[in-house]
Structures are given as structure tokens and as C-alpha cells.
Amino acid sequence: MISPYHRRCFLLLRPGSQLLQTCRTGGTQSGAVTETTATGITEGGKKVKTFKDLPGPSLLTNLYWFFLRGYLLHTHELQLIYKKRYGPWWKSAIGKFKMVNIADPHILEVMVRQEGKYPMRTEIDLWREHRDLRNYAYGPFTEQAEKWHALRTVLNKRMLKPLEAKTYVGSINEVILDFMVRLQDLRKESPSGDMVNDVANELYRFAFEGVSYIVFETRIGCLEKQIPPETQRFIDSIGQMFKNSVYVNYLPEWTRGILPYWRRYIEGWDNVFDFGKKLIDRKMSEIQSRVEKGEELKGEYLTYLLSSGKLTLPEVYGSVCELLLAGVDTTSNTLSWSLYHLAKDPELQQTLYEEVMEAVPIDRIPVADDISRMPLLRGVIKETLRLYPVIPTNARIIHEHEVTIGDYKFPKNTLFVLSHYAIARDEANFSNPEKFFPQRWLRDKGMTHHPFSSIPFGYGVRACAGKRIAELEMHLALSQMIRMFEIKPDSQLGNVKSIARIVLTPSKPINLRFIDRKSV
């Protein structure tokens, strides 16, 4: 018996179909596709299909799953339900949003290869409302079109290339060493002498300190026993903003004066900008003082942004505050899930330990060049990002032109929802997809998955600017932890599931035992 999903895939990708030809030719570059869709027909004289021809849930069905079934914080799991019910792509409508949901790597590739020079996201609308309300400059997530491209071009420098990322190794390792000291202190404070409670929270502090050190060029105290009140308020405000944005995004605007979510959302952003502006202004004063003294300007990212003359000070405020948010959850959540799975698989953990020790002796601190000799370590991070993409649902709005996918044509400004979670957990893309199996990423195992079946850092011009730094930070931190500690789960931990608060996070605290390798 062929399932409805596979039957739909067969029809879309059958020999001679438009979608299969488009996949093979890289989107609208196919002359046949352009010619036929321009006349309003497809092969065989059939009319081009539109949004209304896609299958999908009704508004009432969406409301049922979100609110009655409690899937508002489990929308990533709802992707799997809808994919099984409606096939590789479907339409949906919630509030003002009409969406084309894509849960197939072939269709995803066809769409993103048409995204043009200035694709847009969706969450920018809500973020832009705060900037407009406070008269703040837009950053890389909120700016659009040509202005976004110009801004992103400036921000990409000192960050996007592997060689540029290596310049931050000293700062990253400094923060990692402080984090290792904190782990030791936390272990000593526990009754067992080796327990660290809520590892995700501790890694969040580590990641925040790391990205702040790179972006602000200053330490903000996240790894101190007592976090400075200003820093703690900053951290809490980001969580407040994200948590309340989930509700604000779906509730009608008339509820903003009645329910507390909008006020809390705005307050969260206000606190984030207040903190960021203070640190930026402090750095600007340092730069001006050095210039007046005739000293050479030395520094990393923030010094570059402030001294290059390519951005105004308000543009630096907006860009840095948005970049900070993009650099924390990827590192902290990915490392949390990696440690969780390694703790549950002692054999895998031992193999990883042996690889790390062979690559870097215990008397030397790992650096960027060492990572190339740790393929399993890199596989652990890739596998974690496959199972737990930090952003389980991304989106694109292509506003420059129409989009053609197979027999379908969509007008400009169509909202495409990219269901990364469902794609990465599809058996058609990965064998035994629910299993944590980092070895699947080793080249000698013969990687066979579609290249768009797991793209945790995005694709194209909208891909994550901090990808290289995030990867380096995760690789170096995991290698340090795994060679110093044997990691075991708390006996009371059980299985941990994920929930979606914009980003994918553990549903409950992950408590792990960090046992000193010397005592093993």
C-alpha cells in the first residue's frame, strides 16, 4: 500500500513532471519552465495551479491543534502530523498569515534557488514594530531589500569566512576555560560532588558570555558566581521578549491593550537596547580617546564596526543588538542536546573521547586547526542540529518576482514556511531518523541525504552570518568538556523532549553528572 504522502511525491516527481525538471535544472533557470508558466499553462496543456489548489488544514483545524490539543509550544511536532496528513507541502492560514508550508528537500531547493537578491523573513514584521515605535534603526533581521543587502555586506566582514572566524579563537578559549572552572565549582556544590543541574541554563550563560565578548569586545560577567544585576536583567529581557512574541504573533492587534503580552514584549526589547547601547557607547568613547592620543586602533568586531565609517551609530546599535540574539541559542541549545545524547550513549562518548585525545594531547588547548582531525566531533554537532534545529521553522518572502514550483505558480510576497524539523526527521531523507547517530555524517559511511534535508544555518544570502564562529565555539567547547569529564545522566532524568519557543529548547532541565576523567 502506497501512503498518501508517497503517492503525492510520486505525482510531483514523476518522469516528465515540472517539479522534477525544475529540481534538475535549478529552479526557474529552465527555459521550458519559464516559457510555459509565462503563458499560464504547464506541460500537457494544464493550467498552472495556485495557492488554493494546495491541500491543507482549515483555520478551525489549526486552532484545534494549537489551542485545544496544546501544540502552540509543539508546532515543530505538528509539522510531522501535517506532513503525514497533507503530503510534502500544504497551505495554511493563521490570522493575517497565509502560508505555503514546505516539508520536502527537493521542493525546498526549488523555492530557495528562486529567492533572489533580497529575500525577507517573517519575524521581522514584529521586530520592526518595536524599532518603529522607538524610532530605532533596523538591523540585519529587520532591514529589507537594498538597505538590508548593504548592511549585511558590512556585517559579514570579520565573521563569515573560516579564516576570519579563527581570529576569535583566543577569546573563545578564554571563555571556555572560565566555563570549565564554573563547571568544577558547580560539581563541588552538588551533594554527589559531580552533578550539574540544568545544563542548558549554564550553557546559555557560557554562550552569552562568548558572543558578548566577540561582539562587544568586553566581558559581561555571565560566568561569575553572581551575575551582575545589569547583565542578568539583559538575559532575562531576551527570554521575556521571545516568550511573549509567540503570543503577540498570533493574537489579533486589538488584544494588545487588554492582554499583557504586547507590553512585556516591548519592555523586553527596550531593556535589550538599553544594555547594548551602554556597552557600544563605552567602546565608542574608548575609540575616540585613542584617536585623540594618536594611538593605533586595535580591536575586533565592534571596533571594526565603529571605526570603519560604513555604519552610523544608530545602525550599529540596531545591528549589534540583533546579532547578539542570533549567537546565543545556537551554541547553548546544541551543546545541551549533544551532551544529553552523549551521556545516554557511553560507547559513542568513549569513541569521541579517544578521537579528541588523539587529536589534541591533554597538555595543549584545542585550536581551530585541530577540529579538522575530529570528524566524529563535527558529526555530533551536525547530528544534533539535524534532530534539534535551533529554528525548527524558518520562512521566506520573495518579493522581487513570482515563484514557480512544478505545476504551481505563486505571486510575489508569498510566505513560504520551511519546515526544517519535519524534513530532517523524514525517513526518506535519513534512515532511522529518530536515532541520534553522528556516524551518518562521516564521509567513509557514504552520506546519501539530500543537501537541503538539513540546513540549520539557512541557505543563500540570508544564511546565518555567525555560522563559522558558532561552529568553532561549539567544537572547541565540546572537545574541552569531553576530554576532561565523563558525562553521565542524572538517574532521575528520563527522556527529555523539545518545545518550541521560537527556538527549540528542552522541555525540562537536563541534569548531568560530570565525572573527572582522572578518577575514571
Side-chain angles (χ1 to χ4, degrees), residues 17 25 27 29 38 92 145-146 174 185-186 262 266 284 302 306 318 320 338 350 386 422 496 510:
S17 74
T25 56
Q29 294 178 3
S92 60
E146 291 88 348
E174 180 183 328
D185 291 341
L186 291 169
W262 173 252
I266 295 296
M284 191 66 185
L302 185 54
L306 290 170
V320 167
S338 295
Q350 180 62 27
R386 178 188 72 83
V496 180
I510 297 176

PDB file of all heavy atoms in Angstrom, residues 17 25 27 29 38 92 145-146 174 185-186 262 266 284 302 306 318 320 338 350 386 422 496 510:
ATOM      1  N   SER A  17       7.505  15.412 -15.049  1.00  0.00           N
ATOM      2  CA  SER A  17       6.781  16.446 -14.304  1.00  0.00           C
ATOM      3  C   SER A  17       7.592  17.724 -14.239  1.00  0.00           C
ATOM      4  O   SER A  17       8.811  17.718 -14.293  1.00  0.00           O
ATOM      5  CB  SER A  17       6.470  15.978 -12.880  1.00  0.00           C
ATOM      6  OG  SER A  17       7.630  16.000 -12.100  1.00  0.00           O
ATOM      7  N   THR A  25      17.156  21.314 -13.014  1.00  0.00           N
ATOM      8  CA  THR A  25      17.739  22.451 -13.710  1.00  0.00           C
ATOM      9  C   THR A  25      17.976  23.646 -12.811  1.00  0.00           C
ATOM     10  O   THR A  25      18.409  24.694 -13.262  1.00  0.00           O
ATOM     11  CB  THR A  25      16.819  22.904 -14.868  1.00  0.00           C
ATOM     12  OG1 THR A  25      15.522  23.180 -14.337  1.00  0.00           O
ATOM     13  CG2 THR A  25      16.719  21.828 -15.913  1.00  0.00           C
ATOM     14  N   GLY A  27      15.687  25.379 -10.620  1.00  0.00           N
ATOM     15  CA  GLY A  27      14.661  26.415 -10.462  1.00  0.00           C
ATOM     16  C   GLY A  27      14.252  27.012 -11.784  1.00  0.00           C
ATOM     17  O   GLY A  27      14.197  26.354 -12.822  1.00  0.00           O
ATOM     18  N   GLN A  29      15.682  28.663 -13.897  1.00  0.00           N
ATOM     19  CA  GLN A  29      16.633  28.785 -14.978  1.00  0.00           C
ATOM     20  C   GLN A  29      16.255  27.886 -16.151  1.00  0.00           C
ATOM     21  O   GLN A  29      16.817  27.990 -17.230  1.00  0.00           O
ATOM     22  CB  GLN A  29      18.034  28.430 -14.471  1.00  0.00           C
ATOM     23  CG  GLN A  29      18.544  29.431 -13.438  1.00  0.00           C
ATOM     24  CD  GLN A  29      19.911  29.052 -12.912  1.00  0.00           C
ATOM     25  OE1 GLN A  29      20.497  28.071 -13.357  1.00  0.00           O
ATOM     26  NE2 GLN A  29      20.424  29.799 -11.970  1.00  0.00           N
ATOM     27  N   ALA A  38       4.859  31.347 -18.327  1.00  0.00           N
ATOM     28  CA  ALA A  38       4.567  32.699 -18.786  1.00  0.00           C
ATOM     29  C   ALA A  38       3.255  32.745 -19.556  1.00  0.00           C
ATOM     30  O   ALA A  38       2.563  33.761 -19.572  1.00  0.00           O
ATOM     31  CB  ALA A  38       5.704  33.201 -19.679  1.00  0.00           C
ATOM     32  N   SER A  92      -1.733  26.828   4.689  1.00  0.00           N
ATOM     33  CA  SER A  92      -2.391  27.075   5.967  1.00  0.00           C
ATOM     34  C   SER A  92      -2.583  28.572   6.132  1.00  0.00           C
ATOM     35  O   SER A  92      -1.896  29.374   5.497  1.00  0.00           O
ATOM     36  CB  SER A  92      -1.576  26.501   7.133  1.00  0.00           C
ATOM     37  OG  SER A  92      -0.289  27.084   7.193  1.00  0.00           O
ATOM     38  N   ALA A 145      15.433  44.620   1.636  1.00  0.00           N
ATOM     39  CA  ALA A 145      15.814  44.942   0.254  1.00  0.00           C
ATOM     40  C   ALA A 145      17.242  45.493   0.157  1.00  0.00           C
ATOM     41  O   ALA A 145      18.155  44.980   0.779  1.00  0.00           O
ATOM     42  CB  ALA A 145      14.791  45.903  -0.347  1.00  0.00           C
ATOM     43  N   GLU A 146      17.423  46.566  -0.631  1.00  0.00           N
ATOM     44  CA  GLU A 146      18.765  47.078  -0.895  1.00  0.00           C
ATOM     45  C   GLU A 146      19.474  47.529   0.382  1.00  0.00           C
ATOM     46  O   GLU A 146      20.673  47.314   0.542  1.00  0.00           O
ATOM     47  CB  GLU A 146      18.698  48.259  -1.878  1.00  0.00           C
ATOM     48  CG  GLU A 146      18.291  47.876  -3.293  1.00  0.00           C
ATOM     49  CD  GLU A 146      16.778  47.893  -3.468  1.00  0.00           C
ATOM     50  OE1 GLU A 146      16.063  47.968  -2.433  1.00  0.00           O
ATOM     51  OE2 GLU A 146      16.307  47.821  -4.616  1.00  0.00           O
ATOM     52  N   GLU A 174      39.318  31.595  25.979  1.00  0.00           N
ATOM     53  CA  GLU A 174      39.324  32.266  27.286  1.00  0.00           C
ATOM     54  C   GLU A 174      38.004  32.051  28.005  1.00  0.00           C
ATOM     55  O   GLU A 174      37.966  31.747  29.209  1.00  0.00           O
ATOM     56  CB  GLU A 174      39.594  33.765  27.099  1.00  0.00           C
ATOM     57  CG  GLU A 174      39.628  34.553  28.402  1.00  0.00           C
ATOM     58  CD  GLU A 174      39.819  36.044  28.194  1.00  0.00           C
ATOM     59  OE1 GLU A 174      40.498  36.421  27.213  1.00  0.00           O
ATOM     60  OE2 GLU A 174      39.277  36.845  28.992  1.00  0.00           O
ATOM     61  N   ASP A 185      33.165  24.254  39.935  1.00  0.00           N
ATOM     62  CA  ASP A 185      32.530  24.831  41.131  1.00  0.00           C
ATOM     63  C   ASP A 185      31.132  24.268  41.334  1.00  0.00           C
ATOM     64  O   ASP A 185      30.734  23.950  42.465  1.00  0.00           O
ATOM     65  CB  ASP A 185      32.466  26.355  41.004  1.00  0.00           C
ATOM     66  CG  ASP A 185      33.844  27.017  41.090  1.00  0.00           C
ATOM     67  OD1 ASP A 185      34.772  26.357  41.595  1.00  0.00           O
ATOM     68  OD2 ASP A 185      33.967  28.175  40.634  1.00  0.00           O
ATOM     69  N   LEU A 186      30.379  24.139  40.252  1.00  0.00           N
ATOM     70  CA  LEU A 186      29.023  23.603  40.354  1.00  0.00           C
ATOM     71  C   LEU A 186      29.041  22.152  40.823  1.00  0.00           C
ATOM     72  O   LEU A 186      28.178  21.729  41.604  1.00  0.00           O
ATOM     73  CB  LEU A 186      28.309  23.711  38.994  1.00  0.00           C
ATOM     74  CG  LEU A 186      27.973  25.123  38.519  1.00  0.00           C
ATOM     75  CD1 LEU A 186      27.532  25.107  37.058  1.00  0.00           C
ATOM     76  CD2 LEU A 186      26.877  25.751  39.379  1.00  0.00           C
ATOM     77  N   TRP A 262       1.864  42.079  24.745  1.00  0.00           N
ATOM     78  CA  TRP A 262       2.475  43.137  23.936  1.00  0.00           C
ATOM     79  C   TRP A 262       3.354  44.039  24.797  1.00  0.00           C
ATOM     80  O   TRP A 262       4.491  44.357  24.421  1.00  0.00           O
ATOM     81  CB  TRP A 262       1.395  43.945  23.230  1.00  0.00           C
ATOM     82  CG  TRP A 262       1.906  45.160  22.502  1.00  0.00           C
ATOM     83  CD1 TRP A 262       1.740  46.462  22.849  1.00  0.00           C
ATOM     84  CD2 TRP A 262       2.676  45.171  21.291  1.00  0.00           C
ATOM     85  NE1 TRP A 262       2.354  47.292  21.943  1.00  0.00           N
ATOM     86  CE2 TRP A 262       2.932  46.526  20.978  1.00  0.00           C
ATOM     87  CE3 TRP A 262       3.162  44.175  20.453  1.00  0.00           C
ATOM     88  CZ2 TRP A 262       3.667  46.900  19.853  1.00  0.00           C
ATOM     89  CZ3 TRP A 262       3.901  44.553  19.331  1.00  0.00           C
ATOM     90  CH2 TRP A 262       4.138  45.902  19.046  1.00  0.00           C
ATOM     91  N   ILE A 266       7.465  44.515  24.317  1.00  0.00           N
ATOM     92  CA  ILE A 266       8.138  45.796  24.088  1.00  0.00           C
ATOM     93  C   ILE A 266       9.146  46.086  25.205  1.00  0.00           C
ATOM     94  O   ILE A 266      10.265  46.542  24.948  1.00  0.00           O
ATOM     95  CB  ILE A 266       7.105  46.943  23.986  1.00  0.00           C
ATOM     96  CG1 ILE A 266       6.227  46.746  22.741  1.00  0.00           C
ATOM     97  CG2 ILE A 266       7.799  48.298  23.952  1.00  0.00           C
ATOM     98  CD1 ILE A 266       6.975  46.817  21.431  1.00  0.00           C
ATOM     99  N   MET A 284      32.789  53.279  22.032  1.00  0.00           N
ATOM    100  CA  MET A 284      32.968  54.448  21.185  1.00  0.00           C
ATOM    101  C   MET A 284      33.815  55.501  21.884  1.00  0.00           C
ATOM    102  O   MET A 284      34.685  56.126  21.261  1.00  0.00           O
ATOM    103  CB  MET A 284      31.607  55.037  20.796  1.00  0.00           C
ATOM    104  CG  MET A 284      31.672  56.090  19.708  1.00  0.00           C
ATOM    105  SD  MET A 284      32.226  55.365  18.137  1.00  0.00           S
ATOM    106  CE  MET A 284      32.355  56.829  17.115  1.00  0.00           C
ATOM    107  N   LEU A 302      33.436  44.946  17.157  1.00  0.00           N
ATOM    108  CA  LEU A 302      32.798  46.226  17.439  1.00  0.00           C
ATOM    109  C   LEU A 302      33.697  47.392  17.039  1.00  0.00           C
ATOM    110  O   LEU A 302      33.221  48.405  16.504  1.00  0.00           O
ATOM    111  CB  LEU A 302      32.426  46.325  18.921  1.00  0.00           C
ATOM    112  CG  LEU A 302      31.640  47.577  19.333  1.00  0.00           C
ATOM    113  CD1 LEU A 302      30.388  47.741  18.481  1.00  0.00           C
ATOM    114  CD2 LEU A 302      31.273  47.509  20.817  1.00  0.00           C
ATOM    115  N   LEU A 306      32.570  50.341  14.462  1.00  0.00           N
ATOM    116  CA  LEU A 306      32.523  51.740  14.886  1.00  0.00           C
ATOM    117  C   LEU A 306      33.556  52.611  14.172  1.00  0.00           C
ATOM    118  O   LEU A 306      33.343  53.811  14.013  1.00  0.00           O
ATOM    119  CB  LEU A 306      32.737  51.831  16.400  1.00  0.00           C
ATOM    120  CG  LEU A 306      31.589  51.304  17.269  1.00  0.00           C
ATOM    121  CD1 LEU A 306      32.016  51.232  18.736  1.00  0.00           C
ATOM    122  CD2 LEU A 306      30.351  52.174  17.130  1.00  0.00           C
ATOM    123  N   GLY A 318      21.377  49.007  16.307  1.00  0.00           N
ATOM    124  CA  GLY A 318      20.379  48.056  15.828  1.00  0.00           C
ATOM    125  C   GLY A 318      20.994  46.737  15.398  1.00  0.00           C
ATOM    126  O   GLY A 318      20.460  45.661  15.682  1.00  0.00           O
ATOM    127  N   VAL A 320      24.056  45.334  16.265  1.00  0.00           N
ATOM    128  CA  VAL A 320      24.699  44.566  17.328  1.00  0.00           C
ATOM    129  C   VAL A 320      23.665  43.890  18.215  1.00  0.00           C
ATOM    130  O   VAL A 320      23.815  42.715  18.591  1.00  0.00           O
ATOM    131  CB  VAL A 320      25.640  45.461  18.150  1.00  0.00           C
ATOM    132  CG1 VAL A 320      26.063  44.763  19.438  1.00  0.00           C
ATOM    133  CG2 VAL A 320      26.865  45.837  17.332  1.00  0.00           C
ATOM    134  N   SER A 338      23.646  17.834  22.631  1.00  0.00           N
ATOM    135  CA  SER A 338      24.792  16.960  22.364  1.00  0.00           C
ATOM    136  C   SER A 338      25.217  16.223  23.635  1.00  0.00           C
ATOM    137  O   SER A 338      25.423  14.997  23.617  1.00  0.00           O
ATOM    138  CB  SER A 338      25.971  17.784  21.828  1.00  0.00           C
ATOM    139  OG  SER A 338      25.692  18.349  20.571  1.00  0.00           O
ATOM    140  N   GLN A 350      32.824   7.322  24.523  1.00  0.00           N
ATOM    141  CA  GLN A 350      34.194   6.830  24.642  1.00  0.00           C
ATOM    142  C   GLN A 350      34.939   6.943  23.315  1.00  0.00           C
ATOM    143  O   GLN A 350      36.115   7.340  23.276  1.00  0.00           O
ATOM    144  CB  GLN A 350      34.184   5.368  25.109  1.00  0.00           C
ATOM    145  CG  GLN A 350      35.561   4.745  25.261  1.00  0.00           C
ATOM    146  CD  GLN A 350      36.430   5.421  26.299  1.00  0.00           C
ATOM    147  OE1 GLN A 350      35.908   6.028  27.257  1.00  0.00           O
ATOM    148  NE2 GLN A 350      37.743   5.341  26.129  1.00  0.00           N
ATOM    149  N   ARG A 386      20.623  18.432  13.246  1.00  0.00           N
ATOM    150  CA  ARG A 386      19.597  17.767  12.432  1.00  0.00           C
ATOM    151  C   ARG A 386      18.364  17.455  13.271  1.00  0.00           C
ATOM    152  O   ARG A 386      17.237  17.767  12.884  1.00  0.00           O
ATOM    153  CB  ARG A 386      20.148  16.470  11.827  1.00  0.00           C
ATOM    154  CG  ARG A 386      19.115  15.700  10.995  1.00  0.00           C
ATOM    155  CD  ARG A 386      19.616  14.339  10.559  1.00  0.00           C
ATOM    156  NE  ARG A 386      19.685  13.370  11.640  1.00  0.00           N
ATOM    157  CZ  ARG A 386      18.650  12.644  12.080  1.00  0.00           C
ATOM    158  NH1 ARG A 386      17.443  12.801  11.550  1.00  0.00           N
ATOM    159  NH2 ARG A 386      18.804  11.768  13.058  1.00  0.00           N
ATOM    160  N   ALA A 422      10.534  18.724  10.214  1.00  0.00           N
ATOM    161  CA  ALA A 422       9.910  17.586   9.534  1.00  0.00           C
ATOM    162  C   ALA A 422      10.808  17.022   8.447  1.00  0.00           C
ATOM    163  O   ALA A 422      10.890  15.800   8.256  1.00  0.00           O
ATOM    164  CB  ALA A 422       8.567  18.004   8.944  1.00  0.00           C
ATOM    165  N   VAL A 496      14.026  13.438  27.630  1.00  0.00           N
ATOM    166  CA  VAL A 496      13.750  14.872  27.532  1.00  0.00           C
ATOM    167  C   VAL A 496      13.250  15.173  26.129  1.00  0.00           C
ATOM    168  O   VAL A 496      13.897  14.808  25.142  1.00  0.00           O
ATOM    169  CB  VAL A 496      15.006  15.711  27.838  1.00  0.00           C
ATOM    170  CG1 VAL A 496      14.690  17.201  27.736  1.00  0.00           C
ATOM    171  CG2 VAL A 496      15.554  15.380  29.229  1.00  0.00           C
ATOM    172  N   ILE A 510      17.922  19.626  32.042  1.00  0.00           N
ATOM    173  CA  ILE A 510      18.802  18.488  31.795  1.00  0.00           C
ATOM    174  C   ILE A 510      19.880  18.490  32.870  1.00  0.00           C
ATOM    175  O   ILE A 510      20.762  19.358  32.883  1.00  0.00           O
ATOM    176  CB  ILE A 510      19.440  18.566  30.393  1.00  0.00           C
ATOM    177  CG1 ILE A 510      18.360  18.491  29.309  1.00  0.00           C
ATOM    178  CG2 ILE A 510      20.462  17.447  30.201  1.00  0.00           C
ATOM    179  CD1 ILE A 510      18.895  18.666  27.895  1.00  0.00           C
TER     180      ILE A 510
END
